[in-house]
Every structure is written in C-alpha cells, then in structure tokens.
Amino acid sequence: MEDFKLFDAEYKLMELLWERQPVNSTALSRLCQEKLGWKKSTTFNLVRKLGERGILKNENATVTALIQREQVLRRESEAAVAKSFGGSLPNFVAAFLSGKKLSHQEAEELRRLIDESEARHD
C-alpha cells in the first residue's frame, strides 16, 4: 500500500490545495494564513516536505497535488479497519452500526455500494 498518510496539518493544507489547484505558492501561503493562521514559513515547510514525499508538486511557484483526496481517504480507511478491526470490514460495519438506525435511503445506498463492489470483482 502506498503511504498517503497525512498528519493533521498536512491534510489541512492538502484540503485547501485540492479545492483550488493549481495555485500559486504565494497565494497558497496567504490562504493558509487567512484560513489556518499559519506563518508563511509553516506553509512553505509543509509544501517542501509534501513535495519530497511525492504528495504534491511545486514547480515554477505553482503547487499541484500529485495524489487525489480519494486515495488518501481510502488509505486512511483501510488503515483504521486493519488497526481496530483486524482488517474485517463486516466487523467495522457492525461496530459502526451498533445502536444506530439507518434510514431506508442509507440502507439502499449501502446495498448499492456492495452490489457495485461485487460486480467489479466478478
């Protein structure tokens, strides 16, 4: 599994980037200052670190993401299920649903997702 784990601050920066990319690095720094209260050096350090890890690219002062939000979310979800539920998706779903009542629409959406997943693997 590729390592798309992002720490809190990295994820916050990537959220801003995913919403606005490509973005000028100075404009990104200003945005981080406005939205997150970060100093310019904080933003540029994170951009550099994420660039070194292959998460984003800063070329000619233009920053773009090299991974998609969905890749990060999928990796984080898989890691949580592996860590807390021994990799068992049914155990995760059972724990998540315990004590909750799904609406008819939510239940139908889950059925659709399961059916689509089964169809992809047939």
Side-chain angles (χ1 to χ4, degrees):
M1 181 185 319
E2 296 182 57
D3 186 16
F4 297 141
K5 177 167 178 38
L6 297 176
F7 296 101
D8 231 21
E10 294 170 337
Y11 191 82
K12 288 175 183 178
L13 183 134
M14 291 302 296
E15 279 287 320
L16 294 174
L17 181 59
W18 284 319
E19 292 170 5
R20 294 164 176 85
Q21 70 178 330
V23 63
N24 174 276
S25 58
T26 301
L28 181 60
S29 174
R30 285 187 196 122
L31 187 62
C32 287
Q33 198 283 323
E34 174 189 318
K35 301 277 185 188
L36 306 171
W38 294 357
K39 293 181 179 179
K40 185 178 181 179
S41 60
T42 302
T43 300
F44 285 134
N45 281 333
L46 279 176
V47 167
R48 180 183 50 78
K49 288 178 183 178
L50 290 170
E52 289 169 356
R53 290 176 43 206
I55 305 279
L56 58 73
K57 176 174 67 170
N58 184 8
E59 190 172 75
N60 299 323
T62 299
V63 183
T64 53
L66 295 176
I67 61 169
Q68 300 300 314
R69 177 185 284 128
E70 292 75 23
Q71 290 174 282
V72 173
L73 295 176
R74 183 173 51 248
R75 194 269 178 217
E76 293 284 331
S77 299
E78 289 169 355
V81 170
K83 177 182 176 186
S84 300
F85 301 96
S88 170
L89 191 55
N91 287 347
F92 166 76
V93 172
F96 183 78
L97 293 177
S98 69
K100 292 185 181 164
K101 182 170 172 46
L102 291 179
S103 70
H104 178 74
Q105 183 178 357
E106 290 170 325
E108 286 300 315
E109 178 68 11
L110 288 172
R111 283 186 196 94
R112 183 189 64 75
L113 291 170
I114 290 168
D115 289 346
E116 287 176 3
S117 180
E118 283 181 328
R120 284 194 303 266
H121 294 98
D122 286 341

